[in-house]
Amino acid sequence: MEVPLGSQTKVILPDGSVVCLNSGSVLKYDPAFLRKKSREVYLIGEGYFEVQKNPEKPFIIKTSDMGVKVLGTSFNVSAYREDVEKSVVLVTGKVEVTASNGESVRILPNDRFRQSTDKYVVDKVNVEDYVSWKEGRLSFKNTELGGILKQLSRYYNVRIDYDKQQQITCSGKLNLDDTIEQILNTITETAPVIISKENNVYKVTIKKK
């Protein structure tokens, strides 16, 4: 299952587990999914999982940099190839995450496992900020503007240029039912930036003091 940029979709797996796939994501699984000892899927991008419990057949998600093992729970996995940082945010239940260096760690509800290169950390977060995308909105608190713009670029399938050297953080909520122009106008009202459009490219620059 491949989701084009600018779209989202919901997938019901053969065991009844539900996966909400975000823009630009790919989910793969074997046709013999139910006949194997474990239920394995491979994810590129971002997905919110609601896994059916089956203690005899663990549910395993593999990405390019980490693995997630679970018996039955709900959680968000973000593993876009172009992102340096990959993450797992747990909503309910328990999961075991295997980092790229082979170490395994169990996380609990409201925990976020995040990994960049071969290092990882686990911290407490507000899960709403990481799963609200599946409800048609973005929720964030003290989040770097560059990360927000990257999410918007994928969701609306547009190019947004922004100087990553600039460290601006934002808090708030964005309604993804709005147009990209409405969203960007909202950002200019809350952040010290100017946004212009040229040749279908949105350019975000810092206001000069």
Side-chain angles (χ1 to χ4, degrees):
M1 174 64 70
E2 185 171 355
V3 185
L5 290 171
S7 301
Q8 293 180 356
T9 194
K10 181 180 288 186
V11 181
I12 300 178
L13 298 175
D15 67 337
S17 296
V18 178
V19 188
C20 294
L21 292 172
N22 208 349
S23 176
S25 300
V26 177
L27 184 74
K28 300 178 182 180
Y29 61 92
D30 194 298
F33 180 80
L34 288 178
R35 297 197 298 272
K36 298 201 168 187
K37 292 182 179 179
S38 60
R39 298 168 287 167
E40 293 189 7
V41 299
Y42 183 80
L43 175 69
I44 301 170
E46 184 169 23
Y48 178 83
F49 291 78
E50 295 178 351
V51 176
Q52 291 289 332
K53 291 183 178 180
N54 186 344
E56 296 179 357
K57 289 190 176 184
F59 193 99
I60 297 173
I61 302 165
K62 294 182 177 180
T63 76
S64 59
D65 298 283
M66 60 187 179
V68 182
K69 181 179 179 180
V70 57
L71 296 178
T73 188
S74 57
F75 53 96
N76 194 80
V77 179
S78 183
Y80 285 101
R81 283 174 170 166
E82 64 271 23
D83 288 356
V84 173
E85 185 174 280
K86 314 297 194 296
S87 68
V88 180
V89 176
L90 185 59
V91 181
T92 62
K94 290 182 181 180
V95 299
E96 182 177 278
V97 185
T98 301
S100 59
N101 62 6
E103 293 183 19
S104 295
V105 58
R106 287 195 174 188
I107 63 175
L108 301 174
N110 303 308
D111 280 352
R112 174 182 58 168
F113 170 98
R114 55 191 178 96
Q115 172 181 283
S116 56
T117 62
D118 60 346
K119 298 179 181 179
Y120 70 86
V121 297
V122 177
D123 52 9
K124 290 291 183 183
V125 296
N126 177 10
V127 296
E128 172 69 13
D129 294 344
Y130 298 89
V131 303
S132 60
W133 61 265
K134 68 185 183 69
E135 305 296 340
R137 64 182 184 277
L138 286 184
S139 177
F140 43 90
K141 184 177 181 180
N142 296 327
T143 302
E144 286 193 6
L145 179 59
I148 297 169
L149 295 175
K150 182 181 289 186
Q151 288 180 279
L152 293 173
S153 177
R154 288 179 184 137
Y155 186 84
Y156 288 97
N157 192 19
V158 296
R159 179 177 166 185
I160 303 175
D161 286 349
Y162 175 69
D163 185 357
K164 297 180 178 61
Q165 302 296 323
Q166 304 291 340
Q167 299 294 322
I168 295 179
T169 59
C170 300
S171 299
K173 294 182 180 181
L174 296 172
N175 185 351
L176 297 176
D177 288 334
D178 291 342
T179 65
I180 184 60
E181 286 80 11
Q182 289 173 316
I183 292 285
L184 294 177
N185 284 338
T186 299
I187 290 175
T188 60
E189 293 172 359
T190 57
V193 296
I194 298 172
I195 300 178
S196 58
K197 184 180 181 182
E198 184 176 348
N199 297 325
N200 291 321
V201 176
Y202 295 92
K203 186 175 182 180
V204 182
T205 55
I206 306 300
K207 288 182 179 178
K208 294 182 179 180
K209 295 182 179 180

